[in-house]
Amino acid sequence: MKKILALGLMWILSISVLANTEFSKFIEYVQTKYADKFTDYPILIFDLDEVEYRYAKAGVYGDSFELEKKRAAIIQEYVKEKVGMDLTLQEALSYELYTTKLKEGAFALPTLIDGPNYTKVYKMCAVFPAAPNSNQRLETERITGLTTPGAYENVTYEGLQQKLTYAQMQAFSLYHELGHCMDRLFMPKNYNTYEVSAHDVHVGESYAEVFALMMLEREGITGTGQTRALLRNLYTQEMGKWFIDNPQNGFGNPAYLKGGIVYYLAPSLLAANEFVRNGRNRDFLQGPIDALLLKAKEIVDEHALDGRSFHGIYRAMSEETDEVLKMYREFAVDSPSFFRTAYRDILRFLDFSPHLYSLIVGDEPNDDSGIEVNPSDFIDGCTLESESDVLGFLQEKRDLLERGGLDYSSQTKLRDYLNSFYEDYSKCFPVKN
């Protein structure tokens, strides 16, 4: 109940009896209030608690392709039940991965069909929220890559001078992915482009991020914009350099090297934050969602990096900075209409991004101490007699994880236990042939 009040969401009267984890309540609220009202094509937010419970009861966990197809068949039933859409087995298989191996991340994935003039259009769009077994520290680490070996040598979680709560980050993540699914401009263009550039991804990510900030403000989750911008900039500075220094991890994908600049969303976020903080825009934020989508485009068009600026910043990060600046300065003189903006943006990035970095990074060491998790918390799921028992148990352990007080090792152990809970629970039921 505490989290419901913190989010400012009044969904409790509209939920089903069985949807009794806070995660399920949040999913159903956003689905009913926003996703269901989008009429261009169906949008479905996957409730991992519901989907994984169905997997477990059917006894279809496992690595074989036959079991994967059985999970896909459950997804077909789930999608048909929720939004009335018939998926082919192949389409459902494309979704299955995001409910199993990739469930700890957040994603938006459209299903495409042939449209006019050799284009692809959306049959539907699926939102896969990140698995809800987390807390403030673990989610901060997830969105920043803070535990990536070799990336954050001088940055600690405790040293971060500004943080978002877990509830704020969870909401930001869900509305960000919903923004991708509601995007009529940038993401559809990417799916109709033969080779999507890293810059194209940057613009689409900027759009989803701006939309998410406006939706949080609409829902009464206020004051997150600046901290979110600082966290995204932290990722650009630290993970951006790590991507460049570790090209082997990208398996030859040129966009991989630019992953840090892709998520240089701070300029768009700060502009959006200025907009939502203006009291004159409160009525606008409560208006039609289409108006927010158009406003997000307007902010991104003005504040996201253009293609030449994006490439120039990447070069400034990956090559000798002084030499890159000299080259772009000469370009700006010789071809100002093409390179003046890029040169200006490189200079701005080299000054502004380190400044944003200094606003969030401190030097406090991590305090990994705390209470060790009780072994009795890792129960045998077969002792739980009903779905209500399962969901109640999961909520109890998620509350324990989120409350704080556990030592860091216990936090990660409890998270990993909860992430694998349904798969372990499925062993209580025989595999169905």
Side-chain angles (χ1 to χ4, degrees):
M1 189 65 180
K2 179 180 177 182
K3 184 184 291 184
I4 296 171
L5 292 174
L7 290 173
L9 302 176
M10 300 300 294
W11 62 66
I12 198 164
L13 296 178
S14 64
I15 60 173
S16 67
V17 173
L18 291 179
N20 62 353
T21 64
E22 292 187 15
F23 173 73
S24 292
K25 294 171 186 178
F26 185 29
I27 297 304
E28 186 163 347
Y29 172 79
V30 179
Q31 179 71 42
T32 302
K33 187 171 182 180
Y34 296 116
D36 286 345
K37 291 182 170 60
F38 191 79
T39 58
D40 293 24
Y41 39 80
I43 295 175
L44 177 60
I45 306 171
F46 273 62
D47 182 345
L48 290 178
D49 279 334
E50 186 171 353
V51 172
E52 289 209 81
Y53 185 82
R54 295 186 187 196
Y55 288 169
K57 287 289 286 185
V60 295
Y61 276 101
D63 294 332
S64 73
F65 184 55
E66 287 305 310
L67 289 171
E68 189 178 332
K69 287 194 295 184
K70 289 180 180 180
R71 293 193 294 271
I74 290 174
I75 287 176
Q76 286 177 300
E77 295 173 358
Y78 179 77
V79 171
K80 178 68 173 179
E81 175 187 322
K82 297 295 184 180
V83 294
M85 180 61 65
D86 292 308
L87 293 183
T88 67
L89 180 61
Q90 193 60 43
E91 289 167 341
L93 282 168
S94 71
Y95 285 170
E96 184 276 338
L97 180 66
Y98 297 91
T99 65
T100 51
K101 291 182 174 63
L102 297 180
K103 68 182 181 182
E104 293 182 46
F107 304 92
L109 186 68
T111 294
L112 304 174
I113 55 176
D114 292 332
N117 301 319
Y118 305 102
T119 61
K120 295 290 185 181
V121 297
Y122 288 12
K123 177 178 179 178
M124 66 168 287
C125 191
V127 171
F128 297 96
N133 308 308
S134 194
N135 60 22
Q136 184 183 39
R137 177 170 178 175
L138 297 176
E139 183 68 1
T140 301
E141 291 174 346
R142 183 185 77 82
I143 67 173
T144 61
L146 192 56
T147 58
T148 304
Y152 285 87
E153 295 181 358
N154 299 310
V155 181
T156 64
Y157 169 76
E158 297 289 349
L160 297 180
Q161 301 301 295
Q162 296 188 42
K163 299 182 180 78
L164 296 175
T165 68
Y166 175 55
Q168 290 169 336
M169 288 184 283
Q170 190 178 43
F172 223 119
S173 177
L174 182 60
Y175 283 116
H176 176 106
E177 302 307 332
L178 181 64
H180 279 312
C181 276
M182 289 184 170
D183 178 3
R184 299 182 176 102
L185 303 164
F186 303 110
M187 204 154 104
K189 176 188 172 185
N190 289 347
Y191 279 102
N192 280 288
T193 300
Y194 177 72
E195 186 172 352
V196 179
S197 72
H199 175 255
D200 291 332
V201 179
H202 162 74
V203 175
E205 292 299 325
S206 299
Y207 179 85
E209 196 82 341
V210 168
F211 174 76
L213 176 57
M214 290 193 291
M215 289 299 291
L216 261 64
E217 293 284 334
R218 178 190 180 96
E219 287 294 320
I221 310 170
T222 60
T224 64
Q226 178 173 307
T227 302
R228 183 74 169 190
L230 295 179
L231 288 168
R232 289 301 199 184
N233 180 74
L234 176 66
Y235 182 93
T236 294
Q237 283 286 318
E238 296 287 0
M239 290 302 296
K241 294 169 185 173
W242 188 85
F243 290 134
I244 290 166
D245 292 341
N246 294 273
Q248 70 280 0
N249 295 326
F251 300 101
N253 182 353
Y256 173 86
L257 298 175
K258 300 172 183 174
I261 301 96
V262 163
Y263 283 94
Y264 185 52
L265 312 180
S268 295
L269 271 169
L270 291 172
N273 190 52
E274 183 180 14
F275 177 81
V276 300
R277 289 175 59 193
N278 189 328
R280 292 174 296 179
N281 295 322
R282 289 174 186 166
D283 289 343
F284 174 85
L285 292 171
Q286 298 301 323
I289 296 299
D290 277 354
L292 271 63
L293 292 167
L294 290 173
K295 186 63 183 179
K297 178 185 183 300
E298 179 184 320
I299 291 172
V300 167
D301 285 345
E302 183 173 354
H303 296 281
L305 299 172
D306 69 20
R308 289 190 182 90
S309 298
F310 182 92
H311 185 64
I313 289 171
Y314 167 71
R315 295 194 65 176
M317 288 187 71
S318 60
E319 301 175 27
E320 181 60 44
T321 302
D322 288 342
E323 291 300 317
V324 172
L325 279 174
K326 178 182 177 182
M327 178 175 59
Y328 273 84
R329 184 167 57 241
E330 292 172 355
F331 286 167
V333 172
D334 295 338
S335 302
S337 60
F338 287 100
F339 289 102
R340 183 172 52 205
T341 297
Y343 178 56
R344 179 203 66 193
D345 287 346
I346 297 169
L347 289 173
R348 180 181 296 167
F349 173 84
L350 292 173
D351 175 73
F352 191 52
S353 183
H355 172 66
L356 295 179
Y357 182 91
S358 73
L359 296 179
I360 194 170
V361 173
D363 57 5
E364 291 88 346
N366 276 333
D367 180 6
D368 295 334
S369 64
I371 301 171
E372 186 174 350
V373 68
N374 193 318
S376 65
D377 287 310
F378 304 108
I379 68 165
D380 180 357
C382 298
T383 63
L384 302 170
E385 297 181 356
S386 67
E387 181 178 5
S388 180
D389 290 341
V390 168
L391 298 178
F393 170 77
L394 288 173
Q395 188 58 57
E396 176 187 338
K397 300 311 171 191
R398 288 170 186 170
D399 288 344
L400 172 63
L401 184 59
E402 190 176 348
R403 241 186 344 258
L406 295 177
D407 65 70
Y408 183 66
S409 176
S410 292
Q411 292 177 47
T412 60
K413 286 178 183 176
L414 184 54
R415 175 199 60 196
D416 295 344
Y417 166 75
L418 292 172
N419 280 342
S420 63
F421 174 84
Y422 283 109
E423 186 168 359
D424 293 337
Y425 180 63
S426 73
K427 296 171 185 175
C428 305
F429 308 96
V431 175
K432 297 183 179 180
N433 298 319

